[in-house]
């Protein structure tokens, strides 16, 4: 990977190379892993359903089934966010 120890020492990490705004975001995510994980799972699942309805089912925003979208967001929050965080981080760590 690195040829010499000097190259290894001079290589920057992602945090060191990032602009200050990104450093703040990375620091917040590192210090709040559960909140970040649950929020990301919720938004990701809701966005996936919205993408599916708009691209595969060819619905416009006014024809989107928002009840279904909220159910997917709830699933993302409860199962993919809370339960899987508990399962993989708490039980398997």
């Amino acid at each position: 990977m690195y040829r010499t120890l000097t190259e290894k020492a001079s290589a920057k990490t992602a945090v060191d190379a990032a602009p200050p705004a990104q450093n703040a975001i990375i620091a917040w995510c590192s210090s709040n892993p559960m909140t970040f994980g649950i929020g990301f799972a919720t938004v990701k699942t809701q966005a996936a359903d919205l993408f599916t309805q708009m691209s595969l089912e060819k619905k416009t925003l006014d024809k989107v089934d928002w009840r279904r979208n909220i159910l997917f967001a709830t699933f993302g929050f409860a199962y993919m966010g809370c339960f899987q965080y508990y399962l993989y981080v708490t039980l398997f760590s």
Side-chain angles (χ1 to χ4, degrees):
M1 184 170 209
Y2 294 108
R3 292 187 184 135
T4 65
L5 290 175
T6 307
E7 288 179 20
K8 184 177 181 181
S10 65
K12 291 186 174 186
T13 64
V15 175
D16 293 336
Q22 286 181 345
N23 285 340
I25 293 169
I26 292 169
W28 184 86
C29 293
S30 296
S31 63
N32 300 292
M34 188 169 95
T35 304
F36 174 73
I38 291 171
F40 190 84
T42 303
V43 170
K44 176 189 65 148
T45 309
Q46 184 175 21
D49 179 60
L50 185 62
F51 176 78
T52 300
Q53 288 190 53
M54 293 185 75
S55 64
L56 296 178
E57 299 174 10
K58 307 289 188 215
K59 293 181 179 179
T60 58
L61 273 177
D62 58 328
K63 301 291 184 187
V64 168
D65 184 356
W66 291 109
R67 181 177 177 268
R68 175 180 127 178
N69 192 260
I70 291 170
L71 287 172
F72 268 90
T74 304
F75 173 77
F77 171 80
Y79 179 71
M80 296 179 72
C82 296
F83 177 73
Q84 286 189 2
Y85 184 88
Y86 171 75
L87 180 67
Y88 290 111
V89 175
T90 307
L91 293 181
F92 292 149
S93 294

